[in-house]
Amino acid sequence: MRILRNLAALLLAAPVAAAAQATPPPQPILLRPARVFDAVAAQPHDGWVVLVQGGRIAAVGPAASVSAAGARVVELPGTTLIPGLIEGHSHLLLHPYNETSWDEQVLYEPLALRVARATAGARATLLAGFTTTRDLGTEGAGYADVGLRDAIAEGIIPGPRVIATTRAIVATGAYGPRGAPEWRLPQGAEEATGPDEIARVARDQIGHGADWVKVYADYRWADDDDARPTFTQEELRRLVEVSNAAGRPVVAHASTAEGMRRAALAGVATIEHGDQGTVEVFRLMRERNVGYCPTLAATEAVRQYRGWRKGREPEPPQVLEKRRSFRAALEAGVTLCMGGDVGVYAHGDNAREMELMVDYGMTPLQVLMAATAVNARLFHLEDRIGTIRPGLGADLVAVEGDPTRDVSAIRRVRFVMKDGTIYRGPGMAAEP
Ligand SMILES: [Zn+2]
């Protein structure tokens, strides 16, 4: 019997041993915070520990129940250990518009400059505790997000795990930058018209490395102040059909109720912005399992860049509209994604959206769930990240205090681990 068991162990161990020649098996690491919020239960667990081995969570539970034999112990007193945070809406290839306008970034910044800056943004994102980001369009920087994603995955630069969408898809004539009508300026996304062309563009972007496909279901036409729908229902349906067939979910930018309705009926996975969302369209989204990413922080940032002095002046109409649509979303019970459109404001300041979600009516616990377990599920990553459970990837962040009660604790990051590698805090091998 023992011989049989040893033989089985040998056979099972063989592929692992072969892989281990390239990467030596790391010593187990035992993390000892004050409490663990696993994003499974609604309450943090006092006195729990987490054991990490080989980049994965090996065990989690009360200290007495987890064997620390042979493990390196990392003490994290006064902290809550949470799953690595997931940013739902970023643009690593953009930087704040009060530094350089969007038009100037798209038209005049060299690609190498944009990529170099993006590496700094990726590092800031990771060190702020965001171990994954869904990056929703390079805005004129081609397929640079694919290279960034791969450079991070290969350990060449520190950064979050990136879900890439490459160039994004807009209706012909419905995006920017806009010049005099005589000129055809390079656009911040790829244009398409008609079901066949939108299918071709989606396939082309997938072929160039897109993990998701991003589409603009509405936008401002010409000099209009207000957005209107862009793609037809038929175009959006075809886009979702070809993307999903390739295993790629679709994410739609939409701020009008009609754009949101078409996107939801077409079968997109999430809708971004939703400024004019009604209870009815949010109910439709809930029925169709479409997540809603409100991007509150981008709306507020843009208004501040245009002169609004927050806290000293009344809220402008765009912010009041956002508060109204956010309340409608909560009333309808749509699944809330945590995604702020970071890049419009500084990378590493991702917590801003979480603070605003609390300010606009969610509890800190709901927001923390949105940024971990809920985003993981919306992004089809729940079997890999988003909760603290044995077998999942070791994306773990320790913050001072208890973020389930006080969302500002998210800003007091003391420790960041991604895939079992420590990037910040005690136990780190070297400064990243
Ligand atoms: Zn965006």
mmCIF file with all atom_site columns, all heavy atoms in Angstrom, residues 89-91 94 97 136-137 139 214 216 253 272-273 295 341-342 344, ligand 1:
data_model
loop_
_atom_site.group_PDB
_atom_site.id
_atom_site.type_symbol
_atom_site.label_atom_id
_atom_site.label_alt_id
_atom_site.label_comp_id
_atom_site.label_asym_id
_atom_site.label_entity_id
_atom_site.label_seq_id
_atom_site.pdbx_PDB_ins_code
_atom_site.Cartn_x
_atom_site.Cartn_y
_atom_site.Cartn_z
_atom_site.occupancy
_atom_site.B_iso_or_equiv
_atom_site.pdbx_formal_charge
_atom_site.auth_seq_id
_atom_site.auth_comp_id
_atom_site.auth_asym_id
_atom_site.auth_atom_id
_atom_site.pdbx_PDB_model_num
ATOM   1   N  N   . HIS A 1 89  ? -11.976 49.898 -14.337 1.00 0.00 ? 89  HIS A N   1
ATOM   2   C  CA  . HIS A 1 89  ? -11.960 50.778 -15.515 1.00 0.00 ? 89  HIS A CA  1
ATOM   3   C  C   . HIS A 1 89  ? -10.751 51.699 -15.413 1.00 0.00 ? 89  HIS A C   1
ATOM   4   O  O   . HIS A 1 89  ? -10.771 52.689 -14.685 1.00 0.00 ? 89  HIS A O   1
ATOM   5   C  CB  . HIS A 1 89  ? -13.264 51.582 -15.562 1.00 0.00 ? 89  HIS A CB  1
ATOM   6   C  CG  . HIS A 1 89  ? -13.456 52.386 -16.813 1.00 0.00 ? 89  HIS A CG  1
ATOM   7   N  ND1 . HIS A 1 89  ? -14.683 52.539 -17.429 1.00 0.00 ? 89  HIS A ND1 1
ATOM   8   C  CD2 . HIS A 1 89  ? -12.588 53.080 -17.593 1.00 0.00 ? 89  HIS A CD2 1
ATOM   9   C  CE1 . HIS A 1 89  ? -14.555 53.296 -18.508 1.00 0.00 ? 89  HIS A CE1 1
ATOM   10  N  NE2 . HIS A 1 89  ? -13.284 53.648 -18.630 1.00 0.00 ? 89  HIS A NE2 1
ATOM   11  N  N   . SER A 1 90  ? -9.701  51.337 -16.149 1.00 0.00 ? 90  SER A N   1
ATOM   12  C  CA  . SER A 1 90  ? -8.498  52.182 -16.168 1.00 0.00 ? 90  SER A CA  1
ATOM   13  C  C   . SER A 1 90  ? -8.089  52.468 -17.601 1.00 0.00 ? 90  SER A C   1
ATOM   14  O  O   . SER A 1 90  ? -8.561  51.827 -18.551 1.00 0.00 ? 90  SER A O   1
ATOM   15  C  CB  . SER A 1 90  ? -7.337  51.482 -15.444 1.00 0.00 ? 90  SER A CB  1
ATOM   16  O  OG  . SER A 1 90  ? -6.859  50.381 -16.199 1.00 0.00 ? 90  SER A OG  1
ATOM   17  N  N   . HIS A 1 91  ? -7.229  53.483 -17.734 1.00 0.00 ? 91  HIS A N   1
ATOM   18  C  CA  . HIS A 1 91  ? -6.531  53.755 -18.994 1.00 0.00 ? 91  HIS A CA  1
ATOM   19  C  C   . HIS A 1 91  ? -5.073  53.999 -18.634 1.00 0.00 ? 91  HIS A C   1
ATOM   20  O  O   . HIS A 1 91  ? -4.675  55.133 -18.364 1.00 0.00 ? 91  HIS A O   1
ATOM   21  C  CB  . HIS A 1 91  ? -7.120  54.980 -19.703 1.00 0.00 ? 91  HIS A CB  1
ATOM   22  C  CG  . HIS A 1 91  ? -8.544  54.813 -20.107 1.00 0.00 ? 91  HIS A CG  1
ATOM   23  N  ND1 . HIS A 1 91  ? -8.911  54.203 -21.288 1.00 0.00 ? 91  HIS A ND1 1
ATOM   24  C  CD2 . HIS A 1 91  ? -9.697  55.158 -19.493 1.00 0.00 ? 91  HIS A CD2 1
ATOM   25  C  CE1 . HIS A 1 91  ? -10.233 54.188 -21.372 1.00 0.00 ? 91  HIS A CE1 1
ATOM   26  N  NE2 . HIS A 1 91  ? -10.731 54.753 -20.296 1.00 0.00 ? 91  HIS A NE2 1
ATOM   27  N  N   . LEU A 1 94  ? -3.219  56.749 -20.465 1.00 0.00 ? 94  LEU A N   1
ATOM   28  C  CA  . LEU A 1 94  ? -3.581  58.160 -20.297 1.00 0.00 ? 94  LEU A CA  1
ATOM   29  C  C   . LEU A 1 94  ? -3.027  58.674 -18.977 1.00 0.00 ? 94  LEU A C   1
ATOM   30  O  O   . LEU A 1 94  ? -2.808  57.902 -18.047 1.00 0.00 ? 94  LEU A O   1
ATOM   31  C  CB  . LEU A 1 94  ? -5.107  58.330 -20.281 1.00 0.00 ? 94  LEU A CB  1
ATOM   32  C  CG  . LEU A 1 94  ? -5.864  58.142 -21.599 1.00 0.00 ? 94  LEU A CG  1
ATOM   33  C  CD1 . LEU A 1 94  ? -7.365  58.240 -21.336 1.00 0.00 ? 94  LEU A CD1 1
ATOM   34  C  CD2 . LEU A 1 94  ? -5.427  59.160 -22.647 1.00 0.00 ? 94  LEU A CD2 1
ATOM   35  N  N   . TYR A 1 97  ? -5.961  64.828 -17.266 1.00 0.00 ? 97  TYR A N   1
ATOM   36  C  CA  . TYR A 1 97  ? -6.200  65.839 -18.306 1.00 0.00 ? 97  TYR A CA  1
ATOM   37  C  C   . TYR A 1 97  ? -5.822  67.251 -17.851 1.00 0.00 ? 97  TYR A C   1
ATOM   38  O  O   . TYR A 1 97  ? -5.698  68.146 -18.681 1.00 0.00 ? 97  TYR A O   1
ATOM   39  C  CB  . TYR A 1 97  ? -7.679  65.842 -18.719 1.00 0.00 ? 97  TYR A CB  1
ATOM   40  C  CG  . TYR A 1 97  ? -8.203  64.525 -19.254 1.00 0.00 ? 97  TYR A CG  1
ATOM   41  C  CD1 . TYR A 1 97  ? -9.578  64.311 -19.389 1.00 0.00 ? 97  TYR A CD1 1
ATOM   42  C  CD2 . TYR A 1 97  ? -7.342  63.497 -19.639 1.00 0.00 ? 97  TYR A CD2 1
ATOM   43  C  CE1 . TYR A 1 97  ? -10.075 63.115 -19.884 1.00 0.00 ? 97  TYR A CE1 1
ATOM   44  C  CE2 . TYR A 1 97  ? -7.838  62.302 -20.128 1.00 0.00 ? 97  TYR A CE2 1
ATOM   45  C  CZ  . TYR A 1 97  ? -9.210  62.109 -20.242 1.00 0.00 ? 97  TYR A CZ  1
ATOM   46  O  OH  . TYR A 1 97  ? -9.701  60.923 -20.723 1.00 0.00 ? 97  TYR A OH  1
ATOM   47  N  N   . LEU A 1 136 ? -9.421  49.869 -20.302 1.00 0.00 ? 136 LEU A N   1
ATOM   48  C  CA  . LEU A 1 136 ? -10.478 49.975 -21.313 1.00 0.00 ? 136 LEU A CA  1
ATOM   49  C  C   . LEU A 1 136 ? -10.155 50.916 -22.463 1.00 0.00 ? 136 LEU A C   1
ATOM   50  O  O   . LEU A 1 136 ? -10.895 51.843 -22.775 1.00 0.00 ? 136 LEU A O   1
ATOM   51  C  CB  . LEU A 1 136 ? -11.799 50.332 -20.633 1.00 0.00 ? 136 LEU A CB  1
ATOM   52  C  CG  . LEU A 1 136 ? -12.318 49.258 -19.671 1.00 0.00 ? 136 LEU A CG  1
ATOM   53  C  CD1 . LEU A 1 136 ? -13.690 49.601 -19.135 1.00 0.00 ? 136 LEU A CD1 1
ATOM   54  C  CD2 . LEU A 1 136 ? -12.343 47.877 -20.317 1.00 0.00 ? 136 LEU A CD2 1
ATOM   55  N  N   . GLY A 1 137 ? -9.037  50.653 -23.117 1.00 0.00 ? 137 GLY A N   1
ATOM   56  C  CA  . GLY A 1 137 ? -8.713  51.384 -24.338 1.00 0.00 ? 137 GLY A CA  1
ATOM   57  C  C   . GLY A 1 137 ? -7.431  52.182 -24.210 1.00 0.00 ? 137 GLY A C   1
ATOM   58  O  O   . GLY A 1 137 ? -7.207  52.860 -23.212 1.00 0.00 ? 137 GLY A O   1
ATOM   59  N  N   . GLU A 1 139 ? -6.535  54.627 -26.225 1.00 0.00 ? 139 GLU A N   1
ATOM   60  C  CA  . GLU A 1 139 ? -6.771  56.013 -26.659 1.00 0.00 ? 139 GLU A CA  1
ATOM   61  C  C   . GLU A 1 139 ? -5.648  56.505 -27.578 1.00 0.00 ? 139 GLU A C   1
ATOM   62  O  O   . GLU A 1 139 ? -4.925  57.457 -27.270 1.00 0.00 ? 139 GLU A O   1
ATOM   63  C  CB  . GLU A 1 139 ? -6.929  56.937 -25.436 1.00 0.00 ? 139 GLU A CB  1
ATOM   64  C  CG  . GLU A 1 139 ? -7.946  56.449 -24.410 1.00 0.00 ? 139 GLU A CG  1
ATOM   65  C  CD  . GLU A 1 139 ? -9.406  56.645 -24.809 1.00 0.00 ? 139 GLU A CD  1
ATOM   66  O  OE1 . GLU A 1 139 ? -9.663  57.304 -25.829 1.00 0.00 ? 139 GLU A OE1 1
ATOM   67  O  OE2 . GLU A 1 139 ? -10.286 56.119 -24.096 1.00 0.00 ? 139 GLU A OE2 1
ATOM   68  N  N   . LYS A 1 214 ? -13.973 46.464 -26.278 1.00 0.00 ? 214 LYS A N   1
ATOM   69  C  CA  . LYS A 1 214 ? -14.640 47.680 -25.788 1.00 0.00 ? 214 LYS A CA  1
ATOM   70  C  C   . LYS A 1 214 ? -15.316 48.395 -26.945 1.00 0.00 ? 214 LYS A C   1
ATOM   71  O  O   . LYS A 1 214 ? -14.698 48.636 -27.986 1.00 0.00 ? 214 LYS A O   1
ATOM   72  C  CB  . LYS A 1 214 ? -13.593 48.600 -25.153 1.00 0.00 ? 214 LYS A CB  1
ATOM   73  C  CG  . LYS A 1 214 ? -14.008 50.072 -24.986 1.00 0.00 ? 214 LYS A CG  1
ATOM   74  C  CD  . LYS A 1 214 ? -14.498 50.396 -23.592 1.00 0.00 ? 214 LYS A CD  1
ATOM   75  C  CE  . LYS A 1 214 ? -14.840 51.857 -23.392 1.00 0.00 ? 214 LYS A CE  1
ATOM   76  N  NZ  . LYS A 1 214 ? -13.747 52.690 -22.941 1.00 0.00 ? 214 LYS A NZ  1
ATOM   77  N  N   . TYR A 1 216 ? -18.081 51.753 -27.988 1.00 0.00 ? 216 TYR A N   1
ATOM   78  C  CA  . TYR A 1 216 ? -18.784 52.977 -27.582 1.00 0.00 ? 216 TYR A CA  1
ATOM   79  C  C   . TYR A 1 216 ? -20.194 52.927 -28.160 1.00 0.00 ? 216 TYR A C   1
ATOM   80  O  O   . TYR A 1 216 ? -20.383 53.111 -29.363 1.00 0.00 ? 216 TYR A O   1
ATOM   81  C  CB  . TYR A 1 216 ? -18.029 54.215 -28.078 1.00 0.00 ? 216 TYR A CB  1
ATOM   82  C  CG  . TYR A 1 216 ? -16.776 54.492 -27.279 1.00 0.00 ? 216 TYR A CG  1
ATOM   83  C  CD1 . TYR A 1 216 ? -15.663 53.653 -27.374 1.00 0.00 ? 216 TYR A CD1 1
ATOM   84  C  CD2 . TYR A 1 216 ? -16.704 55.573 -26.413 1.00 0.00 ? 216 TYR A CD2 1
ATOM   85  C  CE1 . TYR A 1 216 ? -14.516 53.894 -26.629 1.00 0.00 ? 216 TYR A CE1 1
ATOM   86  C  CE2 . TYR A 1 216 ? -15.554 55.819 -25.667 1.00 0.00 ? 216 TYR A CE2 1
ATOM   87  C  CZ  . TYR A 1 216 ? -14.471 54.974 -25.769 1.00 0.00 ? 216 TYR A CZ  1
ATOM   88  O  OH  . TYR A 1 216 ? -13.345 55.209 -25.030 1.00 0.00 ? 216 TYR A OH  1
ATOM   89  N  N   . HIS A 1 253 ? -19.146 51.449 -23.440 1.00 0.00 ? 253 HIS A N   1
ATOM   90  C  CA  . HIS A 1 253 ? -19.292 52.816 -22.969 1.00 0.00 ? 253 HIS A CA  1
ATOM   91  C  C   . HIS A 1 253 ? -20.701 53.253 -23.351 1.00 0.00 ? 253 HIS A C   1
ATOM   92  O  O   . HIS A 1 253 ? -21.095 53.111 -24.513 1.00 0.00 ? 253 HIS A O   1
ATOM   93  C  CB  . HIS A 1 253 ? -18.236 53.696 -23.663 1.00 0.00 ? 253 HIS A CB  1
ATOM   94  C  CG  . HIS A 1 253 ? -18.482 55.172 -23.583 1.00 0.00 ? 253 HIS A CG  1
ATOM   95  N  ND1 . HIS A 1 253 ? -17.614 56.030 -22.949 1.00 0.00 ? 253 HIS A ND1 1
ATOM   96  C  CD2 . HIS A 1 253 ? -19.486 55.942 -24.075 1.00 0.00 ? 253 HIS A CD2 1
ATOM   97  C  CE1 . HIS A 1 253 ? -18.078 57.265 -23.040 1.00 0.00 ? 253 HIS A CE1 1
ATOM   98  N  NE2 . HIS A 1 253 ? -19.208 57.249 -23.721 1.00 0.00 ? 253 HIS A NE2 1
ATOM   99  N  N   . GLU A 1 272 ? -20.387 51.077 -18.904 1.00 0.00 ? 272 GLU A N   1
ATOM   100 C  CA  . GLU A 1 272 ? -19.580 52.083 -18.225 1.00 0.00 ? 272 GLU A CA  1
ATOM   101 C  C   . GLU A 1 272 ? -20.249 53.448 -18.285 1.00 0.00 ? 272 GLU A C   1
ATOM   102 O  O   . GLU A 1 272 ? -20.815 53.819 -19.319 1.00 0.00 ? 272 GLU A O   1
ATOM   103 C  CB  . GLU A 1 272 ? -18.206 52.174 -18.897 1.00 0.00 ? 272 GLU A CB  1
ATOM   104 C  CG  . GLU A 1 272 ? -17.584 50.825 -19.188 1.00 0.00 ? 272 GLU A CG  1
ATOM   105 C  CD  . GLU A 1 272 ? -17.262 50.016 -17.950 1.00 0.00 ? 272 GLU A CD  1
ATOM   106 O  OE1 . GLU A 1 272 ? -16.520 50.521 -17.082 1.00 0.00 ? 272 GLU A OE1 1
ATOM   107 O  OE2 . GLU A 1 272 ? -17.783 48.870 -17.839 1.00 0.00 ? 272 GLU A OE2 1
ATOM   108 N  N   . HIS A 1 273 ? -20.158 54.196 -17.199 1.00 0.00 ? 273 HIS A N   1
ATOM   109 C  CA  . HIS A 1 273 ? -20.623 55.584 -17.045 1.00 0.00 ? 273 HIS A CA  1
ATOM   110 C  C   . HIS A 1 273 ? -22.109 55.672 -16.683 1.00 0.00 ? 273 HIS A C   1
ATOM   111 O  O   . HIS A 1 273 ? -22.424 55.996 -15.561 1.00 0.00 ? 273 HIS A O   1
ATOM   112 C  CB  . HIS A 1 273 ? -20.302 56.442 -18.278 1.00 0.00 ? 273 HIS A CB  1
ATOM   113 C  CG  . HIS A 1 273 ? -18.883 56.299 -18.749 1.00 0.00 ? 273 HIS A CG  1
ATOM   114 N  ND1 . HIS A 1 273 ? -17.808 56.590 -17.939 1.00 0.00 ? 273 HIS A ND1 1
ATOM   115 C  CD2 . HIS A 1 273 ? -18.349 55.871 -19.932 1.00 0.00 ? 273 HIS A CD2 1
ATOM   116 C  CE1 . HIS A 1 273 ? -16.678 56.364 -18.604 1.00 0.00 ? 273 HIS A CE1 1
ATOM   117 N  NE2 . HIS A 1 273 ? -16.977 55.922 -19.809 1.00 0.00 ? 273 HIS A NE2 1
ATOM   118 N  N   . THR A 1 295 ? -18.068 54.991 -12.712 1.00 0.00 ? 295 THR A N   1
ATOM   119 C  CA  . THR A 1 295 ? -16.998 55.973 -12.974 1.00 0.00 ? 295 THR A CA  1
ATOM   120 C  C   . THR A 1 295 ? -17.323 57.351 -12.380 1.00 0.00 ? 295 THR A C   1
ATOM   121 O  O   . THR A 1 295 ? -17.234 58.372 -13.054 1.00 0.00 ? 295 THR A O   1
ATOM   122 C  CB  . THR A 1 295 ? -16.691 56.112 -14.487 1.00 0.00 ? 295 THR A CB  1
ATOM   123 O  OG1 . THR A 1 295 ? -17.796 56.725 -15.167 1.00 0.00 ? 295 THR A OG1 1
ATOM   124 C  CG2 . THR A 1 295 ? -16.390 54.789 -15.151 1.00 0.00 ? 295 THR A CG2 1
ATOM   125 N  N   . ASP A 1 341 ? -12.465 54.917 -14.056 1.00 0.00 ? 341 ASP A N   1
ATOM   126 C  CA  . ASP A 1 341 ? -11.917 55.596 -15.236 1.00 0.00 ? 341 ASP A CA  1
ATOM   127 C  C   . ASP A 1 341 ? -10.604 56.292 -14.878 1.00 0.00 ? 341 ASP A C   1
ATOM   128 O  O   . ASP A 1 341 ? -10.311 57.402 -15.328 1.00 0.00 ? 341 ASP A O   1
ATOM   129 C  CB  . ASP A 1 341 ? -12.930 56.613 -15.800 1.00 0.00 ? 341 ASP A CB  1
ATOM   130 C  CG  . ASP A 1 341 ? -12.864 56.742 -17.320 1.00 0.00 ? 341 ASP A CG  1
ATOM   131 O  OD1 . ASP A 1 341 ? -11.938 56.154 -17.922 1.00 0.00 ? 341 ASP A OD1 1
ATOM   132 O  OD2 . ASP A 1 341 ? -13.723 57.422 -17.900 1.00 0.00 ? 341 ASP A OD2 1
ATOM   133 N  N   . VAL A 1 342 ? -9.782  55.573 -14.088 1.00 0.00 ? 342 VAL A N   1
ATOM   134 C  CA  . VAL A 1 342 ? -8.520  56.150 -13.616 1.00 0.00 ? 342 VAL A CA  1
ATOM   135 C  C   . VAL A 1 342 ? -7.551  56.289 -14.785 1.00 0.00 ? 342 VAL A C   1
ATOM   136 O  O   . VAL A 1 342 ? -7.495  55.448 -15.675 1.00 0.00 ? 342 VAL A O   1
ATOM   137 C  CB  . VAL A 1 342 ? -7.936  55.303 -12.454 1.00 0.00 ? 342 VAL A CB  1
ATOM   138 C  CG1 . VAL A 1 342 ? -7.645  53.869 -12.896 1.00 0.00 ? 342 VAL A CG1 1
ATOM   139 C  CG2 . VAL A 1 342 ? -6.688  55.952 -11.855 1.00 0.00 ? 342 VAL A CG2 1
ATOM   140 N  N   . VAL A 1 344 ? -7.888  59.414 -16.153 1.00 0.00 ? 344 VAL A N   1
ATOM   141 C  CA  . VAL A 1 344 ? -8.466  60.761 -16.156 1.00 0.00 ? 344 VAL A CA  1
ATOM   142 C  C   . VAL A 1 344 ? -7.919  61.507 -14.929 1.00 0.00 ? 344 VAL A C   1
ATOM   143 O  O   . VAL A 1 344 ? -7.640  62.694 -14.975 1.00 0.00 ? 344 VAL A O   1
ATOM   144 C  CB  . VAL A 1 344 ? -10.008 60.691 -16.109 1.00 0.00 ? 344 VAL A CB  1
ATOM   145 C  CG1 . VAL A 1 344 ? -10.615 62.076 -15.941 1.00 0.00 ? 344 VAL A CG1 1
ATOM   146 C  CG2 . VAL A 1 344 ? -10.552 59.998 -17.348 1.00 0.00 ? 344 VAL A CG2 1
HETATM 147 ZN ZN  . ZN  B 2 .   ? -12.686 55.179 -19.861 1.00 0.00 ? 1   ZN  B ZN  1
#
